[in-house]
Amino acid sequence: MTNTPAPDPRAPHEPPTAARDDSAAITGHELLPDRRRRLIATAALGCAFLGMLDGTVTGTAMPKIVAQLGGTDTWYVWVVTAYLLTSTVTVPLYGRFSDLHGRRGPMLIGLGVFLAGSLACGAAPSITLLVAARALQGLGAGALLTVGMSVVRDLYPPSRMAGMVRMQSIMAVMLVAGMIGGPLVGGVLADHAGWRWAFLLNLPLGLVAAAVLAALLPRVRPAATAAVRLDLAGIALLTAGLSLVLLGLTLKGYGEHGRLRDWSDPMVGGPLLAGIVLLAALVAVERQAAVPIVPLRLFGHRAYAAIAAAGFFFQAAGLPAGIFLALYFQQVRGHTATASGLLLLPMLAGMVISNRLTAALIMRTGRPRPALLLGATLLTAGSIPFLTLDAATPIPLIACCLLLIGLGAGPAMGGAGIVAQNSVPRTDIGTATAGSMLTKQIGGAVSLACGQSLLAHHLAGAATAAGVARGVGVTLGWVGSVGGLLALVAIVLMPDLRVAGPGPAAGKPTAAAAQG
């Protein structure tokens, strides 16, 4: 009789590496023909792009929407906020459900809800119903980016490293295009075809993507979770907690009657405090759940915990430049809205360039950490000079700083996703992708709320052009440099994960990553 070694009691507590998990089983995607693989990836990325585009498409069309449907500035805010709130809150839910029950169902359900919401937006007879329809649209949009990127990762695992990095690069370019294209598409359609087409245009594009996914996306359901008991308590606490936190940050950022609310305002502090209490309760509940909606064990992977924190700070550092400099260009330098947008192009160009270079570097070395370290350094270096911004600062100097910020933010757009997906077991890819996206979105919301408070403080006693310039400069300098430095610290603490690379070690994590 052969003696079998006793199982190691430490085994259940040691997180398996992503590379070992990837090679363990066939999931229904590895044997797909290349043409089918490309069609599925194109449809998934197209859905993600629609979700991103609709986050910004109403900005330039809102004056005509309000003129036709009626409403005040408060309704103007909620047409945007309703979509962003529901799409953000549902991100972790869709990510987890796709891990437990397969990608196909959550993706098609989310796309169906998104298209139903788009149709309701296009047919809305009043501003109140438009806000409700935007909330419905956001409930579906949460699946488009999260599950869409998880589908792409299933199609292009580390064994197909070149394809995976290429898809991450395309996704990052789409994110930049969504930032630019949303307001542009909304303005053009509002001027020439009617604002309702900004929503109705989703229908033919989304139906084509739905047909492709329904016909070609494999039906893969993890056998180990075929009869999972739904974590209702976790879902309720997560949804309510995130909603209240985001609501408090939104109300802090927008204010009323031209005045920003204080952090102690009950409309701000109340939701924030209640949301934090519910999220703290979520941690206790998830520790006891058999199959938690938020698997806390993911944060036992040092690489994942570090990249989640880094993504938060990258977004917090880079986002305010594109928002507050538009105010500077228009109120201090006297440029039009169109000219202000063009003056921000160096930052967007930097994002595209650095993201593409990051993809090439990762493909060559298999190590995303150096690119992320360089990105955080450039982001910090580009933000610090804004502390000296005034009404006479040369435009070329501002453009150079914006280029540095763009070059610094670019590596996190694709690199953070690659690290998040390759630092956890394959069974948790959807949840990891959702968590990475969620921390970025919350980082952006926190930085805008803090930035607007800092700007309002500096403008309180000096509403002149010089005061606006000083306030914008101090805001961008402090928020950008502090966020960039904290992102740098998070990346320094991250294990040097190897997701792929030349030679026999390709696709295997380093010793440091395995210990993470």
Side-chain angles (χ1 to χ4, degrees):
M1 179 179 293
T2 303
N3 292 327
T4 57
D8 187 347
R10 297 173 301 167
H13 304 287
E14 294 178 353
T17 65
R20 181 167 63 247
D21 187 75
D22 276 335
S23 61
I26 299 296
T27 66
H29 299 89
E30 285 85 344
L31 302 180
L32 291 176
D34 286 343
R35 183 173 180 274
R36 182 175 175 181
R37 191 184 302 271
R38 287 193 295 269
L39 285 172
I40 296 172
T42 300
L45 290 174
C47 292
F49 181 66
L50 289 179
M52 288 187 295
L53 200 66
D54 270 59
T56 58
V57 74
T58 58
T60 49
M62 275 308 299
K64 293 198 173 185
I65 294 175
V66 171
Q68 183 174 339
L69 299 182
T72 63
D73 288 346
T74 301
W75 288 110
Y76 183 113
V77 168
W78 283 107
V79 168
V80 178
T81 301
Y83 179 87
L84 296 179
L85 185 63
T86 53
S87 62
T88 300
V89 167
T90 53
V91 159
L93 302 181
Y94 279 116
R96 185 59 172 156
F97 288 153
S98 74
D99 281 340
L100 296 177
H101 305 290
R103 315 287 186 217
R104 194 173 188 274
M107 185 68 183
L108 292 175
I109 290 171
L111 182 55
V113 173
F114 175 79
L115 294 179
S118 298
L119 179 61
C121 287
S126 68
I127 194 72
T128 306
L129 291 178
L130 177 60
V131 170
R134 284 285 280 170
L136 175 64
Q137 193 186 27
L139 287 175
L144 301 187
L145 188 58
T146 308
V147 186
M149 282 310 301
S150 299
V151 167
V152 171
R153 172 60 173 74
D154 289 338
L155 295 169
Y156 296 95
S159 59
R160 293 175 176 267
M161 184 61 187
M164 181 179 71
V165 173
R166 183 165 56 249
M167 289 299 166
Q168 290 280 4
S169 181
I170 291 172
M171 191 69 210
V173 172
M174 286 170 51
L175 178 60
V176 176
M179 293 169 58
I180 304 171
L184 180 61
V185 169
V188 170
L189 290 176
D191 288 338
H192 301 289
W195 61 266
R196 295 182 187 276
W197 282 101
F199 305 110
L200 296 177
L201 201 59
N202 292 330
L203 298 178
L205 300 175
L207 288 173
V208 170
V212 171
L213 293 172
L216 302 180
L217 187 61
R219 296 176 181 271
V220 178
R221 185 175 184 180
T225 56
V228 172
R229 183 177 180 181
L230 206 58
D231 180 17
L232 294 177
I235 292 172
L237 288 170
L238 176 66
T239 303
L242 281 179
S243 297
L244 288 169
V245 168
L246 292 172
L247 180 63
L249 292 173
T250 298
L251 293 173
K252 170 59 181 170
Y254 285 116
E256 59 181 352
H257 307 305
R259 182 185 65 84
L260 291 178
R261 296 182 175 92
D262 294 329
W263 290 101
S264 58
D265 190 307
M267 295 290 288
V268 176
L272 282 175
L273 181 60
I276 291 171
V277 169
L278 290 179
L279 292 177
L282 172 68
V283 174
V285 168
E286 296 303 84
R287 289 183 183 276
Q288 305 299 322
V291 183
I293 196 69
V294 180
L296 300 178
R297 57 185 163 73
L298 289 185
F299 295 96
H301 300 260
R302 283 180 50 208
Y304 180 75
I307 201 61
F312 178 98
F313 293 121
F314 265 109
Q315 188 78 353
L319 185 62
I323 305 297
F324 297 122
L325 270 180
L327 175 69
Y328 169 82
F329 287 137
Q330 293 177 51
Q331 293 193 9
V332 178
R333 308 304 283 261
H335 294 296
T336 64
T338 302
S340 299
L342 293 174
L343 288 169
L344 293 174
L345 285 179
M347 182 176 71
L348 301 176
M351 290 179 181
V352 173
I353 293 169
S354 63
N355 179 71
R356 189 67 192 96
L357 293 176
T358 299
L361 180 63
I362 294 176
M363 210 175 335
R364 176 173 297 181
T365 66
R367 298 172 60 211
R369 189 166 177 259
L372 292 169
L373 285 171
L374 179 59
T377 302
L378 292 175
L379 185 54
T380 305
S383 300
I384 290 175
F386 280 114
L387 291 169
T388 62
L389 184 72
D390 58 34
T393 301
I395 294 295
L397 178 59
I398 297 175
C400 288
C401 292
L402 285 172
L403 180 63
L404 285 176
I405 290 175
L407 291 172
M413 299 173 73
I418 291 173
V419 173
Q421 292 178 339
N422 284 275
S423 59
V424 300
R426 188 166 190 165
T427 52
D428 291 325
I429 284 175
T431 307
T433 302
S436 177
M437 289 172 47
L438 183 64
T439 55
K440 288 183 181 180
Q441 290 171 320
I442 295 177
V446 170
S447 76
L448 286 181
C450 293
Q452 286 169 325
S453 296
L454 188 58
L455 180 60
H457 173 74
H458 282 275
L459 294 182
T464 62
V468 172
R470 176 64 179 163
V472 169
V474 170
T475 299
L476 295 183
W478 277 108
V479 174
S481 60
V482 171
L485 286 172
L486 291 174
L488 184 63
V489 171
I491 299 301
V492 168
L493 296 176
M494 185 182 80
D496 194 9
L497 183 73
R498 177 180 283 276
V499 296
K508 295 182 180 180
T510 62
Q515 293 171 2

